[in-house]
Amino acid sequence: KAGVTQTPRYLIKTRGQQVTLSCSPISGHRSVSWYQQTPGQGLQFLFEYFSETQRNKGNFPGRFSGRQFSNSRSEMNVSTLELGDSALYLCASSLNRASGSPLHFGNGTRLTVT
Amino acid sequence: DQQVKQNSPSLSVQEGRISILNCDYTNSMFDYFLWYKKYPAEGPTFLISISSIKDKNEDGRFTVFLNKSAKHLSLHIVPSQPGDSAVYFCAASVPNTNAGKSTFGDGTTLTVKP
């Protein structure tokens, strides 16, 4: 079974631009979450989608948004990029919504904002 | 307010010895705790978990201990192997929310020396 796929692996953008990241979950997984990891930091929760609906949202500004499609694939968008948005963005899928269900992560998209 | 803390940024041990990674939390509502391992350029992978109703869970060389009164958990790796060298993240989730909204610590970099 294929794992979580994130595209692209690397992105370089300029301040003020916007970016869209893509995530394909493991087949059969309907829950998709997004995390941001900055150097020396843990994973900060961005948002979680299930059945095309945002179920939870982390403490990030409105410039960060996402959506989920009927095939469970998800995208996240960051508008008006700032230097501080440079980070590794990780997508994770899980089989169900139960607390304690392991998350299956993709290899991430490394975003650099110059 | 960081609800999950890994106070040791790094740990170095000799091959064959025991590695002990620690994690403290503040939210008594957490009902599941998970450990993930992350290699460079890869996403985190699930290692082992423990329910808050248990105090120990074992899987091969990996054992997690939970001390609810101290709000502390630890991951023991015995014997440690060079391939265990990675960043280890402690994560926790709250009941009635999706596991996708886990709270992560900042990680501990484990180096196992041959």
PDB file of all heavy atoms in Angstrom, chain A residues 47-78:
ATOM      1  N   PHE A  47      -4.236  22.217  10.697  1.00  0.00           N
ATOM      2  CA  PHE A  47      -5.655  21.872  10.618  1.00  0.00           C
ATOM      3  C   PHE A  47      -5.831  20.414  10.254  1.00  0.00           C
ATOM      4  O   PHE A  47      -4.879  19.751   9.850  1.00  0.00           O
ATOM      5  CB  PHE A  47      -6.442  22.752   9.618  1.00  0.00           C
ATOM      6  CG  PHE A  47      -5.640  23.348   8.496  1.00  0.00           C
ATOM      7  CD1 PHE A  47      -5.064  22.547   7.518  1.00  0.00           C
ATOM      8  CD2 PHE A  47      -5.471  24.712   8.424  1.00  0.00           C
ATOM      9  CE1 PHE A  47      -4.323  23.094   6.490  1.00  0.00           C
ATOM     10  CE2 PHE A  47      -4.741  25.283   7.395  1.00  0.00           C
ATOM     11  CZ  PHE A  47      -4.164  24.468   6.422  1.00  0.00           C
ATOM     12  N   GLU A  48      -7.067  19.953  10.410  1.00  0.00           N
ATOM     13  CA  GLU A  48      -7.414  18.563  10.148  1.00  0.00           C
ATOM     14  C   GLU A  48      -8.723  18.516   9.374  1.00  0.00           C
ATOM     15  O   GLU A  48      -9.662  19.267   9.667  1.00  0.00           O
ATOM     16  CB  GLU A  48      -7.546  17.783  11.456  1.00  0.00           C
ATOM     17  CG  GLU A  48      -7.993  16.342  11.251  1.00  0.00           C
ATOM     18  CD  GLU A  48      -9.317  16.036  11.908  1.00  0.00           C
ATOM     19  OE1 GLU A  48      -9.683  16.698  12.894  1.00  0.00           O
ATOM     20  OE2 GLU A  48     -10.014  15.128  11.432  1.00  0.00           O
ATOM     21  N   TYR A  49      -8.746  17.653   8.375  1.00  0.00           N
ATOM     22  CA  TYR A  49      -9.930  17.492   7.546  1.00  0.00           C
ATOM     23  C   TYR A  49     -10.415  16.055   7.588  1.00  0.00           C
ATOM     24  O   TYR A  49      -9.631  15.119   7.661  1.00  0.00           O
ATOM     25  CB  TYR A  49      -9.631  17.873   6.085  1.00  0.00           C
ATOM     26  CG  TYR A  49      -9.481  19.355   5.898  1.00  0.00           C
ATOM     27  CD1 TYR A  49      -8.246  19.967   6.091  1.00  0.00           C
ATOM     28  CD2 TYR A  49     -10.574  20.136   5.562  1.00  0.00           C
ATOM     29  CE1 TYR A  49      -8.121  21.330   5.948  1.00  0.00           C
ATOM     30  CE2 TYR A  49     -10.445  21.505   5.409  1.00  0.00           C
ATOM     31  CZ  TYR A  49      -9.206  22.095   5.612  1.00  0.00           C
ATOM     32  OH  TYR A  49      -9.086  23.449   5.473  1.00  0.00           O
ATOM     33  N   PHE A  50     -11.716  15.928   7.560  1.00  0.00           N
ATOM     34  CA  PHE A  50     -12.343  14.612   7.494  1.00  0.00           C
ATOM     35  C   PHE A  50     -13.624  14.759   6.691  1.00  0.00           C
ATOM     36  O   PHE A  50     -14.423  15.651   6.972  1.00  0.00           O
ATOM     37  CB  PHE A  50     -12.647  14.083   8.895  1.00  0.00           C
ATOM     38  CG  PHE A  50     -13.219  12.700   8.919  1.00  0.00           C
ATOM     39  CD1 PHE A  50     -12.386  11.589   8.863  1.00  0.00           C
ATOM     40  CD2 PHE A  50     -14.589  12.498   9.001  1.00  0.00           C
ATOM     41  CE1 PHE A  50     -12.909  10.314   8.887  1.00  0.00           C
ATOM     42  CE2 PHE A  50     -15.118  11.217   9.022  1.00  0.00           C
ATOM     43  CZ  PHE A  50     -14.278  10.120   8.975  1.00  0.00           C
ATOM     44  N   SER A  51     -13.795  13.891   5.708  1.00  0.00           N
ATOM     45  CA  SER A  51     -14.985  13.963   4.845  1.00  0.00           C
ATOM     46  C   SER A  51     -15.203  15.361   4.301  1.00  0.00           C
ATOM     47  O   SER A  51     -16.313  15.915   4.372  1.00  0.00           O
ATOM     48  CB  SER A  51     -16.238  13.497   5.611  1.00  0.00           C
ATOM     49  OG  SER A  51     -16.142  12.134   5.927  1.00  0.00           O
ATOM     50  N   GLU A  52     -14.128  15.932   3.788  1.00  0.00           N
ATOM     51  CA  GLU A  52     -14.149  17.223   3.104  1.00  0.00           C
ATOM     52  C   GLU A  52     -14.481  18.408   4.014  1.00  0.00           C
ATOM     53  O   GLU A  52     -14.712  19.524   3.516  1.00  0.00           O
ATOM     54  CB  GLU A  52     -15.132  17.192   1.912  1.00  0.00           C
ATOM     55  CG  GLU A  52     -14.834  16.093   0.909  1.00  0.00           C
ATOM     56  CD  GLU A  52     -15.863  16.040  -0.212  1.00  0.00           C
ATOM     57  OE1 GLU A  52     -15.973  17.032  -0.965  1.00  0.00           O
ATOM     58  OE2 GLU A  52     -16.563  15.007  -0.336  1.00  0.00           O
ATOM     59  N   THR A  53     -14.510  18.191   5.314  1.00  0.00           N
ATOM     60  CA  THR A  53     -14.841  19.252   6.263  1.00  0.00           C
ATOM     61  C   THR A  53     -13.684  19.485   7.215  1.00  0.00           C
ATOM     62  O   THR A  53     -13.080  18.526   7.704  1.00  0.00           O
ATOM     63  CB  THR A  53     -16.105  18.880   7.068  1.00  0.00           C
ATOM     64  OG1 THR A  53     -17.181  18.637   6.177  1.00  0.00           O
ATOM     65  CG2 THR A  53     -16.474  19.992   8.042  1.00  0.00           C
ATOM     66  N   GLN A  54     -13.389  20.738   7.471  1.00  0.00           N
ATOM     67  CA  GLN A  54     -12.357  21.052   8.464  1.00  0.00           C
ATOM     68  C   GLN A  54     -12.921  20.771   9.841  1.00  0.00           C
ATOM     69  O   GLN A  54     -13.924  21.358  10.256  1.00  0.00           O
ATOM     70  CB  GLN A  54     -11.928  22.517   8.354  1.00  0.00           C
ATOM     71  CG  GLN A  54     -10.736  22.849   9.249  1.00  0.00           C
ATOM     72  CD  GLN A  54     -10.314  24.314   9.122  1.00  0.00           C
ATOM     73  OE1 GLN A  54     -10.773  25.171   9.861  1.00  0.00           O
ATOM     74  NE2 GLN A  54      -9.448  24.587   8.170  1.00  0.00           N
ATOM     75  N   ARG A  55     -12.269  19.902  10.571  1.00  0.00           N
ATOM     76  CA  ARG A  55     -12.754  19.484  11.890  1.00  0.00           C
ATOM     77  C   ARG A  55     -12.042  20.204  13.029  1.00  0.00           C
ATOM     78  O   ARG A  55     -12.610  20.409  14.091  1.00  0.00           O
ATOM     79  CB  ARG A  55     -12.561  17.972  12.066  1.00  0.00           C
ATOM     80  CG  ARG A  55     -13.198  17.154  10.965  1.00  0.00           C
ATOM     81  CD  ARG A  55     -14.718  17.170  11.023  1.00  0.00           C
ATOM     82  NE  ARG A  55     -15.324  16.444   9.934  1.00  0.00           N
ATOM     83  CZ  ARG A  55     -16.560  15.955   9.962  1.00  0.00           C
ATOM     84  NH1 ARG A  55     -17.303  16.125  11.046  1.00  0.00           N
ATOM     85  NH2 ARG A  55     -17.040  15.307   8.910  1.00  0.00           N
ATOM     86  N   ASN A  56     -10.787  20.522  12.828  1.00  0.00           N
ATOM     87  CA  ASN A  56     -10.010  21.211  13.849  1.00  0.00           C
ATOM     88  C   ASN A  56      -9.068  22.188  13.175  1.00  0.00           C
ATOM     89  O   ASN A  56      -8.634  21.963  12.039  1.00  0.00           O
ATOM     90  CB  ASN A  56      -9.193  20.219  14.684  1.00  0.00           C
ATOM     91  CG  ASN A  56     -10.031  19.411  15.632  1.00  0.00           C
ATOM     92  OD1 ASN A  56     -10.644  19.942  16.554  1.00  0.00           O
ATOM     93  ND2 ASN A  56     -10.080  18.109  15.418  1.00  0.00           N
ATOM     94  N   LYS A  57      -8.756  23.256  13.895  1.00  0.00           N
ATOM     95  CA  LYS A  57      -7.825  24.241  13.359  1.00  0.00           C
ATOM     96  C   LYS A  57      -6.881  24.664  14.458  1.00  0.00           C
ATOM     97  O   LYS A  57      -7.288  24.873  15.608  1.00  0.00           O
ATOM     98  CB  LYS A  57      -8.592  25.459  12.830  1.00  0.00           C
ATOM     99  CG  LYS A  57      -7.735  26.430  12.042  1.00  0.00           C
ATOM    100  CD  LYS A  57      -8.578  27.576  11.488  1.00  0.00           C
ATOM    101  CE  LYS A  57      -7.828  28.398  10.453  1.00  0.00           C
ATOM    102  NZ  LYS A  57      -6.550  28.931  10.976  1.00  0.00           N
ATOM    103  N   GLY A  58      -5.612  24.794  14.102  1.00  0.00           N
ATOM    104  CA  GLY A  58      -4.605  25.237  15.047  1.00  0.00           C
ATOM    105  C   GLY A  58      -4.540  26.743  15.120  1.00  0.00           C
ATOM    106  O   GLY A  58      -5.312  27.466  14.485  1.00  0.00           O
ATOM    107  N   ASN A  59      -3.574  27.238  15.875  1.00  0.00           N
ATOM    108  CA  ASN A  59      -3.443  28.672  16.115  1.00  0.00           C
ATOM    109  C   ASN A  59      -2.557  29.320  15.064  1.00  0.00           C
ATOM    110  O   ASN A  59      -1.440  29.744  15.354  1.00  0.00           O
ATOM    111  CB  ASN A  59      -2.888  28.898  17.527  1.00  0.00           C
ATOM    112  CG  ASN A  59      -2.926  30.349  17.928  1.00  0.00           C
ATOM    113  OD1 ASN A  59      -3.738  31.107  17.413  1.00  0.00           O
ATOM    114  ND2 ASN A  59      -2.037  30.733  18.817  1.00  0.00           N
ATOM    115  N   PHE A  60      -3.048  29.381  13.864  1.00  0.00           N
ATOM    116  CA  PHE A  60      -2.327  30.004  12.762  1.00  0.00           C
ATOM    117  C   PHE A  60      -3.214  31.077  12.139  1.00  0.00           C
ATOM    118  O   PHE A  60      -4.445  30.994  12.194  1.00  0.00           O
ATOM    119  CB  PHE A  60      -1.955  28.954  11.701  1.00  0.00           C
ATOM    120  CG  PHE A  60      -0.719  28.162  12.031  1.00  0.00           C
ATOM    121  CD1 PHE A  60      -0.792  27.072  12.883  1.00  0.00           C
ATOM    122  CD2 PHE A  60       0.513  28.514  11.504  1.00  0.00           C
ATOM    123  CE1 PHE A  60       0.341  26.344  13.211  1.00  0.00           C
ATOM    124  CE2 PHE A  60       1.652  27.799  11.807  1.00  0.00           C
ATOM    125  CZ  PHE A  60       1.568  26.708  12.667  1.00  0.00           C
ATOM    126  N   PRO A  61      -2.576  32.102  11.536  1.00  0.00           N
ATOM    127  CA  PRO A  61      -3.382  33.182  10.935  1.00  0.00           C
ATOM    128  C   PRO A  61      -4.194  32.680   9.745  1.00  0.00           C
ATOM    129  O   PRO A  61      -3.957  31.613   9.198  1.00  0.00           O
ATOM    130  CB  PRO A  61      -2.329  34.214  10.500  1.00  0.00           C
ATOM    131  CG  PRO A  61      -1.049  33.451  10.428  1.00  0.00           C
ATOM    132  CD  PRO A  61      -1.133  32.358  11.443  1.00  0.00           C
ATOM    133  N   GLY A  62      -5.152  33.500   9.358  1.00  0.00           N
ATOM    134  CA  GLY A  62      -6.051  33.144   8.270  1.00  0.00           C
ATOM    135  C   GLY A  62      -5.369  32.993   6.923  1.00  0.00           C
ATOM    136  O   GLY A  62      -5.981  32.484   5.974  1.00  0.00           O
ATOM    137  N   ARG A  63      -4.098  33.407   6.839  1.00  0.00           N
ATOM    138  CA  ARG A  63      -3.363  33.213   5.577  1.00  0.00           C
ATOM    139  C   ARG A  63      -3.174  31.737   5.260  1.00  0.00           C
ATOM    140  O   ARG A  63      -2.906  31.365   4.124  1.00  0.00           O
ATOM    141  CB  ARG A  63      -1.982  33.874   5.674  1.00  0.00           C
ATOM    142  CG  ARG A  63      -2.005  35.363   5.928  1.00  0.00           C
ATOM    143  CD  ARG A  63      -0.592  35.951   5.895  1.00  0.00           C
ATOM    144  NE  ARG A  63       0.275  35.418   6.938  1.00  0.00           N
ATOM    145  CZ  ARG A  63       1.260  34.555   6.721  1.00  0.00           C
ATOM    146  NH1 ARG A  63       1.513  34.107   5.512  1.00  0.00           N
ATOM    147  NH2 ARG A  63       2.024  34.155   7.729  1.00  0.00           N
ATOM    148  N   PHE A  64      -3.293  30.929   6.287  1.00  0.00           N
ATOM    149  CA  PHE A  64      -3.157  29.481   6.118  1.00  0.00           C
ATOM    150  C   PHE A  64      -4.552  28.876   5.963  1.00  0.00           C
ATOM    151  O   PHE A  64      -5.418  29.062   6.832  1.00  0.00           O
ATOM    152  CB  PHE A  64      -2.461  28.861   7.331  1.00  0.00           C
ATOM    153  CG  PHE A  64      -1.027  29.238   7.472  1.00  0.00           C
ATOM    154  CD1 PHE A  64      -0.658  30.452   8.030  1.00  0.00           C
ATOM    155  CD2 PHE A  64      -0.023  28.376   7.035  1.00  0.00           C
ATOM    156  CE1 PHE A  64       0.675  30.805   8.153  1.00  0.00           C
ATOM    157  CE2 PHE A  64       1.312  28.706   7.159  1.00  0.00           C
ATOM    158  CZ  PHE A  64       1.665  29.925   7.728  1.00  0.00           C
ATOM    159  N   SER A  65      -4.754  28.193   4.886  1.00  0.00           N
ATOM    160  CA  SER A  65      -6.051  27.571   4.640  1.00  0.00           C
ATOM    161  C   SER A  65      -5.851  26.220   3.981  1.00  0.00           C
ATOM    162  O   SER A  65      -4.759  25.893   3.527  1.00  0.00           O
ATOM    163  CB  SER A  65      -6.930  28.463   3.759  1.00  0.00           C
ATOM    164  OG  SER A  65      -6.331  28.623   2.479  1.00  0.00           O
ATOM    165  N   GLY A  66      -6.905  25.450   3.943  1.00  0.00           N
ATOM    166  CA  GLY A  66      -6.803  24.139   3.322  1.00  0.00           C
ATOM    167  C   GLY A  66      -8.144  23.678   2.823  1.00  0.00           C
ATOM    168  O   GLY A  66      -9.172  24.355   2.997  1.00  0.00           O
ATOM    169  N   ARG A  67      -8.110  22.546   2.185  1.00  0.00           N
ATOM    170  CA  ARG A  67      -9.352  21.911   1.774  1.00  0.00           C
ATOM    171  C   ARG A  67      -9.099  20.438   1.521  1.00  0.00           C
ATOM    172  O   ARG A  67      -7.952  20.007   1.378  1.00  0.00           O
ATOM    173  CB  ARG A  67      -9.910  22.571   0.517  1.00  0.00           C
ATOM    174  CG  ARG A  67      -8.999  22.546  -0.698  1.00  0.00           C
ATOM    175  CD  ARG A  67      -9.692  23.188  -1.881  1.00  0.00           C
ATOM    176  NE  ARG A  67      -8.818  23.303  -3.047  1.00  0.00           N
ATOM    177  CZ  ARG A  67      -9.253  23.622  -4.258  1.00  0.00           C
ATOM    178  NH1 ARG A  67     -10.536  23.846  -4.475  1.00  0.00           N
ATOM    179  NH2 ARG A  67      -8.413  23.723  -5.276  1.00  0.00           N
ATOM    180  N   GLN A  68     -10.181  19.685   1.470  1.00  0.00           N
ATOM    181  CA  GLN A  68     -10.089  18.258   1.188  1.00  0.00           C
ATOM    182  C   GLN A  68     -11.098  17.915   0.111  1.00  0.00           C
ATOM    183  O   GLN A  68     -12.229  18.405   0.124  1.00  0.00           O
ATOM    184  CB  GLN A  68     -10.354  17.429   2.445  1.00  0.00           C
ATOM    185  CG  GLN A  68     -10.118  15.934   2.231  1.00  0.00           C
ATOM    186  CD  GLN A  68     -10.383  15.111   3.479  1.00  0.00           C
ATOM    187  OE1 GLN A  68     -11.273  15.442   4.270  1.00  0.00           O
ATOM    188  NE2 GLN A  68      -9.635  14.039   3.668  1.00  0.00           N
ATOM    189  N   PHE A  69     -10.688  17.068  -0.779  1.00  0.00           N
ATOM    190  CA  PHE A  69     -11.540  16.675  -1.905  1.00  0.00           C
ATOM    191  C   PHE A  69     -12.260  15.363  -1.599  1.00  0.00           C
ATOM    192  O   PHE A  69     -11.953  14.680  -0.622  1.00  0.00           O
ATOM    193  CB  PHE A  69     -10.688  16.555  -3.172  1.00  0.00           C
ATOM    194  CG  PHE A  69      -9.946  17.826  -3.513  1.00  0.00           C
ATOM    195  CD1 PHE A  69      -8.637  18.024  -3.097  1.00  0.00           C
ATOM    196  CD2 PHE A  69     -10.572  18.836  -4.238  1.00  0.00           C
ATOM    197  CE1 PHE A  69      -7.963  19.202  -3.402  1.00  0.00           C
ATOM    198  CE2 PHE A  69      -9.901  20.002  -4.547  1.00  0.00           C
ATOM    199  CZ  PHE A  69      -8.600  20.193  -4.122  1.00  0.00           C
ATOM    200  N   SER A  70     -13.178  15.018  -2.473  1.00  0.00           N
ATOM    201  CA  SER A  70     -13.999  13.823  -2.234  1.00  0.00           C
ATOM    202  C   SER A  70     -13.176  12.540  -2.233  1.00  0.00           C
ATOM    203  O   SER A  70     -13.579  11.533  -1.658  1.00  0.00           O
ATOM    204  CB  SER A  70     -15.112  13.727  -3.283  1.00  0.00           C
ATOM    205  OG  SER A  70     -14.565  13.681  -4.584  1.00  0.00           O
ATOM    206  N   ASN A  71     -12.006  12.569  -2.868  1.00  0.00           N
ATOM    207  CA  ASN A  71     -11.145  11.371  -2.851  1.00  0.00           C
ATOM    208  C   ASN A  71     -10.163  11.403  -1.673  1.00  0.00           C
ATOM    209  O   ASN A  71      -9.203  10.629  -1.643  1.00  0.00           O
ATOM    210  CB  ASN A  71     -10.380  11.248  -4.167  1.00  0.00           C
ATOM    211  CG  ASN A  71      -9.463  12.439  -4.418  1.00  0.00           C
ATOM    212  OD1 ASN A  71      -9.413  13.379  -3.622  1.00  0.00           O
ATOM    213  ND2 ASN A  71      -8.743  12.406  -5.531  1.00  0.00           N
ATOM    214  N   SER A  72     -10.393  12.295  -0.731  1.00  0.00           N
ATOM    215  CA  SER A  72      -9.599  12.474   0.499  1.00  0.00           C
ATOM    216  C   SER A  72      -8.283  13.209   0.283  1.00  0.00           C
ATOM    217  O   SER A  72      -7.626  13.551   1.263  1.00  0.00           O
ATOM    218  CB  SER A  72      -9.331  11.145   1.224  1.00  0.00           C
ATOM    219  OG  SER A  72     -10.531  10.605   1.697  1.00  0.00           O
ATOM    220  N   ARG A  73      -7.894  13.450  -0.941  1.00  0.00           N
ATOM    221  CA  ARG A  73      -6.699  14.252  -1.180  1.00  0.00           C
ATOM    222  C   ARG A  73      -6.909  15.649  -0.591  1.00  0.00           C
ATOM    223  O   ARG A  73      -8.033  16.143  -0.519  1.00  0.00           O
ATOM    224  CB  ARG A  73      -6.420  14.336  -2.670  1.00  0.00           C
ATOM    225  CG  ARG A  73      -5.056  14.919  -3.031  1.00  0.00           C
ATOM    226  CD  ARG A  73      -4.833  14.893  -4.545  1.00  0.00           C
ATOM    227  NE  ARG A  73      -5.691  15.829  -5.253  1.00  0.00           N
ATOM    228  CZ  ARG A  73      -5.426  17.118  -5.413  1.00  0.00           C
ATOM    229  NH1 ARG A  73      -4.316  17.632  -4.907  1.00  0.00           N
ATOM    230  NH2 ARG A  73      -6.260  17.897  -6.073  1.00  0.00           N
ATOM    231  N   SER A  74      -5.814  16.246  -0.147  1.00  0.00           N
ATOM    232  CA  SER A  74      -5.926  17.537   0.512  1.00  0.00           C
ATOM    233  C   SER A  74      -4.905  18.521  -0.031  1.00  0.00           C
ATOM    234  O   SER A  74      -3.839  18.119  -0.530  1.00  0.00           O
ATOM    235  CB  SER A  74      -5.741  17.367   2.023  1.00  0.00           C
ATOM    236  OG  SER A  74      -5.794  18.621   2.700  1.00  0.00           O
ATOM    237  N   GLU A  75      -5.227  19.764   0.044  1.00  0.00           N
ATOM    238  CA  GLU A  75      -4.296  20.835  -0.292  1.00  0.00           C
ATOM    239  C   GLU A  75      -4.296  21.851   0.828  1.00  0.00           C
ATOM    240  O   GLU A  75      -5.314  22.051   1.501  1.00  0.00           O
ATOM    241  CB  GLU A  75      -4.730  21.544  -1.588  1.00  0.00           C
ATOM    242  CG  GLU A  75      -4.579  20.731  -2.853  1.00  0.00           C
ATOM    243  CD  GLU A  75      -5.014  21.511  -4.092  1.00  0.00           C
ATOM    244  OE1 GLU A  75      -5.666  22.557  -3.958  1.00  0.00           O
ATOM    245  OE2 GLU A  75      -4.695  21.043  -5.210  1.00  0.00           O
ATOM    246  N   MET A  76      -3.135  22.469   1.026  1.00  0.00           N
ATOM    247  CA  MET A  76      -3.090  23.613   1.913  1.00  0.00           C
ATOM    248  C   MET A  76      -2.511  24.802   1.145  1.00  0.00           C
ATOM    249  O   MET A  76      -1.666  24.627   0.260  1.00  0.00           O
ATOM    250  CB  MET A  76      -2.315  23.357   3.191  1.00  0.00           C
ATOM    251  CG  MET A  76      -0.830  23.180   3.073  1.00  0.00           C
ATOM    252  SD  MET A  76       0.002  23.382   4.675  1.00  0.00           S
ATOM    253  CE  MET A  76       0.067  25.165   4.810  1.00  0.00           C
ATOM    254  N   ASN A  77      -2.988  25.963   1.476  1.00  0.00           N
ATOM    255  CA  ASN A  77      -2.594  27.180   0.788  1.00  0.00           C
ATOM    256  C   ASN A  77      -2.091  28.197   1.799  1.00  0.00           C
ATOM    257  O   ASN A  77      -2.675  28.348   2.876  1.00  0.00           O
ATOM    258  CB  ASN A  77      -3.797  27.739   0.013  1.00  0.00           C
ATOM    259  CG  ASN A  77      -3.446  28.950  -0.824  1.00  0.00           C
ATOM    260  OD1 ASN A  77      -3.398  30.055  -0.314  1.00  0.00           O
ATOM    261  ND2 ASN A  77      -3.184  28.740  -2.093  1.00  0.00           N
ATOM    262  N   VAL A  78      -1.015  28.855   1.446  1.00  0.00           N
ATOM    263  CA  VAL A  78      -0.530  29.961   2.276  1.00  0.00           C
ATOM    264  C   VAL A  78      -0.465  31.188   1.386  1.00  0.00           C
ATOM    265  O   VAL A  78       0.215  31.175   0.342  1.00  0.00           O
ATOM    266  CB  VAL A  78       0.855  29.675   2.887  1.00  0.00           C
ATOM    267  CG1 VAL A  78       1.213  30.771   3.892  1.00  0.00           C
ATOM    268  CG2 VAL A  78       0.894  28.311   3.543  1.00  0.00           C
TER     269      VAL A  78
END
